[in-house]
Amino acid sequence: MSGIRRVSKELTECQGPPPPEGKDMSKVKLQDGAAILPPTTMEGIWAKADNSNMYRWDIWIEGPANTVYEGGIFKLKMELPEGSAPSGTGGYPFKPPKINFTTRIYHPNVTNDNTGDICLSLIKTDVWKPASKIKGVLEAVRQLLIEPNPDDPLETRIAEEYKNNRAEFEKNAKSYVQRYAKDTLKENSSKTTTKKETLKNAPSKV
Amino acid sequence: MDSDEDFQSTVSSDDDAMQDTDNDEMSGVEDFDAFDDEPDEEPDLGPNKIQRKRIAYDISFKVYSPTDIQAHQDEMMDEVNMILEMRKEDAAILLRHFRWNKERLMEDYMDKPSKVLEAAGLGSSTINPPRLEFIPGFTCDICYEDDDGLESFAMKCGHRYCVNCYRQYLTQKIREEGEAARIQCPSEGCGRIMDARSLDLLVTPDLADRYQELLNRTYVEDKEILKWCPAPDCENAIECAIKKKDLDKVVPTVACRCGHRFCFGCILNDHQPAPCELVKRWLKKCADDSETANWISANTKECPKCNSTIEKNGGCNHMTCRKCKHEFCWMCMGLWSEHGTSWYNCNRFEEKSGTDARDAQAKSRVSLERYLHYYNRYANHEQSARLDKDIYTKTEKKMVQLQTASGMSWIEVQYLNAASQALQTCRQTLKWTYAFAFYLARNNLTEIFEDNQKDLELSVEALSEMFEKPIAELSDPKLKVDIMDKTSYCNKRRVILLEDTAENLANGRWTFNVDLKSLAPVSSGRK
Ligand SMILES: [Zn+2]
Ligand SMILES: [Zn+2]
Ligand SMILES: [Zn+2]
Ligand SMILES: [Zn+2]
Ligand SMILES: [Zn+2]
Ligand SMILES: [Zn+2]
């Protein structure tokens, strides 16, 4: 299946080479648990594929500096559609990746619920191109944290608030960061993840 | 909302019948030959120009087969290809971009050619015509394969990918997403549109066929004067120049070669004489009030005299109670003896005098009664058309037996087919006259309308009654002549009614109690 070749190559593009001996993740001055983060070639974004399935990735995005999300770490799940074997038709990269926040976030373009759907034009079926790359998608998601797009909202109420009452928006967004995005890496002990996932997967629409 | 049955119940070729009805008598046999599901014309004769005498309710239209639709596009592509000296497949992309408005295309192109090309997805071009190539050291940016001998392709934008990726991409777009006219280059941000010739180089013939089918689809959908025939499995398109703003003046019924008759304005089954806006309102009202009106369309009612249950199993509304022999009208439950005489007023709703309807409650009761009066008759004709069809199907079987028994030929029993067709079509018209009447405000013309409605209804009921006669009687030559006469009379009455309503509609002489221009600005000159 040709898709695998591309996916593993893309993972390498996102992660870069493993760090040289002796130099570890501690340059990433994050909270406890930062050691789980893989190396990365991107600013404030880390990506790791499932050990058993290359088509499922965990993503972490650090709240960009000078934004309301600063100080938080947001975890996302990315699923690359698998085509029908053996030809792989209809799978990634001919279909766009599906990406969701698993950490709750207060944002006009992310659903304010457990599914964490993102409104991002790049990964809409009619915009996505097979030559588009995951790295670009992840960078676009991070860009959305720096610059929300209230004119194409998933949460109209939050979008209105963002446009008309910025102070209130900032207060709410920051309180979400405090509540949900502070212990993202700590939470990552296998026990809490499973618990959180079952909870999250139940109502989601795959 | 259209059931299969609905479609079938209106299948008829009575257009030909209409043409003939100005001649005094028409033969009931050969004018109704649609029941064998054969198109009237040879399918290969190209555009079927239906040219008929101008009748007030008649509009001109053409039926196009998929081949015709293809030919039209080719013709325009050739023209643009010649005038602008561009590849035919690029001309096609340009035409689609301009929604087949050739004049505007030419104008804009002459003005700013490069801007137009860019916007249409034909920007920055290399000179070489695209072809499949082996390029040493090539790596595909989609699958990351770099095998020697990996065949690759690029459109004129120069974004090169391996043919396997191109094929998968195109299959995904065409098969799964149903996209054709707007398939872009696989490169992120590149708006170059996939052209037909490149596609042919890359995909299997059956995928290319599907692509062409989808393109035809956009062609018809892009043009306001073209619409697909909505009959299931019909691939024809109809051309009709009716404008949306004229839909309060004309009811544009068109007939496809497949036999399906529908309104070009709203795609619903033929609903003459009621204009589209009334139909829309009526159907919505019926859906909203469905519970109130449900009891009416029931197949059983009680005899008004002895209260025994009576089941309706044919289209005819002349009921005779099996128990007490009371004869009554299924629609109004009134005495049948009063029907067909000067006392007949089954179709007309008698407005109660003012004294009855003084308070709000009484008013709302009257308005409900009024609605039920029209709904009752509307639903009844719909139901009767179905039952008439059942009767025909049953009869048809018996006729086969009768043929063997009596020696009558298949041709000789076709008068029943004609009668069945007439019943269907006339009931379809009658049905809509009641929705029409519901919205009609009284003026000096309503009486003529109601008389026409009454005449048509009476003759239809009479035909329906003959049509339900037992098989033994049907083979009687005298009854055969009667049925044929009645059939042609019904068709004639229908034409008269439609002509009258259409003419007055065209001239704005009807007064409706709702605004027909609800969506468009109201023109001040009309009432
Ligand atoms: Zn490839
Ligand atoms: Zn391109
Ligand atoms: Zn048709
Ligand atoms: Zn209509
Ligand atoms: Zn009785
Ligand atoms: Zn009656």
Side-chain angles (χ1 to χ4, degrees):
Chain A
M1 193 150 74
S2 60
I4 288 280
R5 188 191 180 104
R6 156 133 180 198
V7 173
S8 60
K9 199 92 184 273
E10 278 202 85
L11 188 64
T12 316
E13 277 172 17
C14 289
Q15 292 181 334
E21 207 65 49
K23 237 188 153 194
D24 65 4
M25 291 304 96
S26 57
K27 68 161 186 178
V28 183
K29 294 254 187 302
L30 293 165
Q31 314 117 299
D32 304 339
I36 64 147
L37 293 180
T40 183
T41 61
M42 299 171 285
E43 190 189 347
I45 309 171
W46 295 264
K48 190 178 144 211
D50 241 45
N51 290 333
S52 57
N53 188 346
M54 282 284 276
Y55 283 76
R56 287 164 191 266
W57 292 25
D58 286 334
I59 315 289
W60 295 266
I61 298 182
E62 186 183 8
N66 305 317
T67 70
V68 288
Y69 306 108
E70 187 172 357
I73 299 275
F74 298 89
K75 193 178 176 200
L76 297 91
K77 277 229 169 289
M78 184 173 69
E79 251 181 74
L80 306 173
E82 288 181 69
S84 50
S87 62
T89 10
Y92 182 80
F94 299 97
K95 276 187 181 159
K98 289 189 190 111
I99 184 160
N100 300 73
F101 275 89
T102 64
T103 306
R104 291 283 294 263
I105 182 167
Y106 195 81
H107 191 289
N109 308 103
V110 183
T111 55
N112 189 14
D113 58 18
N114 283 331
T115 60
D117 286 332
I118 308 172
C119 176
L120 188 65
S121 77
L122 189 58
I123 52 171
K124 284 178 183 160
T125 316
D126 51 332
V127 178
W128 174 260
K129 294 292 189 71
S132 307
K133 301 288 161 24
I134 292 170
K135 198 171 170 176
V137 172
L138 300 182
E139 280 164 353
V141 173
R142 183 173 181 270
Q143 188 56 36
L144 215 50
L145 300 189
I146 297 170
E147 212 178 336
N149 177 12
D151 295 325
D152 192 9
L154 268 182
E155 293 289 346
T156 36
R157 195 196 56 76
I158 299 178
E160 287 306 311
E161 190 179 84
Y162 180 84
K163 283 200 274 192
N164 305 322
N165 190 351
R166 189 63 65 89
E168 185 65 22
F169 167 79
E170 289 182 354
K171 202 185 100 198
N172 287 328
K174 280 177 182 164
S175 95
Y176 264 56
V177 171
Q178 289 305 320
R179 257 165 80 192
Y180 300 110
K182 277 298 179 188
D183 297 322
T184 314
L185 296 176
K186 270 190 230 157
E187 238 180 83
N188 233 283
S189 71
S190 58
K191 197 176 133 207
T192 40
T193 314
T194 0
K195 193 182 158 203
K196 200 178 168 205
E197 267 178 6
T198 35
L199 189 107
K200 183 178 56 60
N201 285 342
S204 94
K205 47 177 175 171
V206 185
Chain B
M1 77 161 304
D2 288 316
S3 67
D4 254 0
E5 225 159 8
D6 242 352
F7 273 113
Q8 284 164 9
S9 69
T10 55
V11 166
S12 80
S13 67
D14 59 329
D15 288 295
D16 299 349
M18 285 172 204
Q19 180 181 17
D20 291 342
T21 37
D22 280 3
N23 310 335
D24 265 345
E25 286 298 334
M26 56 169 232
S27 87
V29 179
E30 56 214 294
D31 289 316
F32 296 97
D33 57 354
F35 222 78
D36 52 9
D37 282 344
E38 280 295 316
D40 289 356
E41 283 79 18
E42 288 295 315
D44 294 326
L45 285 182
N48 171 19
K49 297 195 186 202
I50 297 187
Q51 295 261 312
R52 268 174 282 143
K53 219 170 306 178
R54 293 294 303 162
I55 313 175
Y57 64 86
D58 213 0
I59 54 152
S60 59
F61 60 91
K62 291 172 194 164
V63 184
Y64 295 124
S65 70
T67 326
D68 302 330
I69 299 163
Q70 183 61 59
H72 292 172
Q73 296 175 72
D74 285 342
E75 219 169 89
M76 282 173 97
M77 287 175 212
D78 284 338
E79 251 179 279
V80 173
N81 151 269
M82 256 169 46
I83 301 172
L84 301 184
E85 292 179 327
M86 57 170 65
R87 299 190 314 162
K88 202 177 153 185
E89 52 275 21
D90 290 347
I93 289 169
L94 212 49
L95 276 162
R96 269 174 221 124
H97 179 70
F98 281 94
R99 294 183 159 243
W100 300 91
N101 186 337
K102 200 179 64 209
E103 288 66 34
R104 210 164 65 79
L105 183 160
M106 296 294 184
E107 233 170 74
D108 286 18
Y109 185 84
M110 298 303 182
D111 199 23
K112 291 181 186 122
S114 58
K115 206 179 149 204
V116 164
L117 289 177
E118 183 69 44
L122 292 167
S124 59
S125 290
T126 57
I127 299 106
N128 294 335
R131 57 195 167 93
L132 306 187
E133 282 180 88
F134 297 103
I135 292 178
F138 167 77
T139 306
C140 173
D141 191 40
I142 292 176
C143 62
Y144 290 174
E145 293 290 344
D146 55 3
D147 295 353
D148 292 340
L150 185 62
E151 218 177 355
S152 69
F153 179 83
M155 283 194 290
K156 287 196 157 195
C157 57
H159 297 120
R160 180 166 294 279
Y161 303 99
C162 82
V163 290
N164 302 328
C165 285
Y166 250 114
R167 277 174 197 143
Q168 284 201 39
Y169 175 59
L170 294 170
T171 309
Q172 156 87 18
K173 285 285 163 194
I174 297 166
R175 285 256 185 260
E176 279 196 45
E177 294 171 33
E179 183 57 81
R182 301 293 309 168
I183 302 178
Q184 294 180 339
C185 162
S187 176
E188 187 172 316
C190 179
R192 183 86 199 185
I193 299 289
M194 172 56 61
D195 60 272
R197 192 190 295 188
S198 297
L199 189 108
D200 283 342
L201 287 175
L202 291 162
V203 303
T204 54
D206 67 312
L207 196 64
D209 286 350
R210 177 70 187 140
Y211 172 77
Q212 193 53 56
E213 218 179 288
L214 291 166
L215 286 182
N216 285 350
R217 208 143 271 281
T218 28
Y219 173 73
V220 171
E221 279 150 20
D222 276 353
K223 296 198 84 169
E224 223 186 302
I225 56 162
L226 284 181
K227 271 174 189 161
W228 293 109
C229 168
D233 302 325
C234 180
E235 294 186 317
N236 296 335
I238 312 271
E239 182 188 288
C240 176
I242 187 79
K243 299 224 167 46
K244 240 197 170 88
K245 66 169 176 58
D246 291 331
L247 288 177
D248 62 334
K249 292 232 167 18
V250 59
V251 186
T253 297
V254 296
C256 179
R257 231 174 291 162
C258 74
H260 183 55
R261 293 163 47 78
F262 67 99
C263 168
F264 195 82
C266 66
I267 313 299
L268 294 175
N269 287 352
D270 172 27
H271 56 68
Q272 280 174 342
C276 295
E277 178 62 26
L278 292 189
V279 169
K280 207 178 87 196
R281 283 166 183 265
W282 175 256
L283 291 175
K284 183 169 185 312
K285 183 166 179 57
C286 294
D288 291 351
D289 299 347
S290 61
E291 275 182 41
T292 330
N294 252 352
W295 62 272
I296 289 160
S297 42
N299 259 328
T300 53
K301 284 181 186 173
E302 279 176 9
C303 165
K305 205 172 166 194
C306 75
N307 293 335
S308 63
T309 307
I310 304 215
E311 191 180 354
K312 191 161 189 257
N313 46 23
C316 176
N317 286 313
H318 178 182
M319 308 305 290
T320 307
C321 174
R322 255 183 236 194
K323 217 170 150 195
C324 71
K325 304 290 174 223
H326 178 61
E327 290 182 61
F328 65 98
C329 165
W330 180 263
M331 276 203 274
C332 66
M333 305 301 275
L335 282 176
W336 188 259
S337 54
E338 288 176 358
H339 286 64
T341 69
S342 55
W343 291 98
Y344 181 90
N345 64 353
C346 184
N347 63 325
R348 176 177 303 156
F349 179 74
E350 291 300 334
E351 309 276 354
K352 300 276 193 313
S353 59
T355 47
D356 273 22
R358 226 168 252 151
D359 58 283
Q361 208 189 347
K363 267 192 191 124
S364 92
R365 202 191 56 234
V366 169
S367 108
L368 178 66
E369 267 173 26
R370 184 173 181 277
Y371 166 62
L372 288 178
H373 170 89
Y374 291 113
Y375 180 78
N376 188 353
R377 282 147 186 82
Y378 165 86
N380 188 68
H381 281 299
E382 186 168 65
Q383 183 196 41
S384 290
R386 245 189 332 262
L387 294 171
D388 283 336
K389 193 176 161 56
D390 287 351
I391 292 271
Y392 176 73
T393 319
K394 277 181 214 145
T395 310
E396 196 187 26
K397 278 191 201 120
K398 287 187 195 154
M399 291 315 289
V400 178
Q401 295 161 5
L402 190 72
Q403 266 182 96
T404 24
S406 73
M408 263 214 233
S409 76
W410 187 238
I411 301 290
E412 281 169 319
V413 299
Q414 284 308 300
Y415 72 97
L416 275 180
N417 189 356
S420 162
Q421 291 293 323
L423 284 171
Q424 308 281 313
T425 324
C426 291
R427 286 206 190 275
Q428 177 83 357
T429 303
L430 275 172
K431 176 177 121 176
W432 286 109
T433 59
Y434 283 109
F436 184 80
F438 176 74
Y439 292 108
L440 202 58
R442 282 210 164 267
N443 66 17
N444 55 337
L445 294 168
T446 31
E447 207 153 313
I448 300 170
F449 167 73
E450 282 173 346
D451 284 348
N452 284 334
Q453 188 185 37
K454 179 183 83 180
D455 286 348
L456 179 58
E457 193 158 72
L458 274 173
S459 52
V460 164
E461 292 305 342
L463 179 60
S464 193
E465 202 165 350
M466 291 183 202
F467 188 68
E468 281 177 29
K469 287 263 158 54
I471 196 79
E473 287 177 48
L474 280 177
S475 51
D476 168 11
K478 167 77 175 65
L479 183 58
K480 177 174 169 177
V481 171
D482 285 351
I483 288 182
M484 285 169 70
D485 286 351
K486 204 47 123 183
T487 301
S488 98
Y489 184 73
C490 283
N491 286 322
K492 213 152 79 181
R493 292 313 311 178
R494 176 175 171 270
V495 169
I496 289 167
L497 183 143
L498 289 180
E499 284 216 313
D500 175 67
T501 46
E503 217 175 276
N504 289 328
L505 189 68
N507 296 318
R509 286 197 219 108
W510 296 117
T511 321
F512 295 105
N513 47 32
V514 290
D515 186 6
L516 281 197
K517 291 254 188 199
S518 70
L519 297 170
V522 188
S523 65
S524 48
R526 285 185 55 251
K527 268 192 85 179

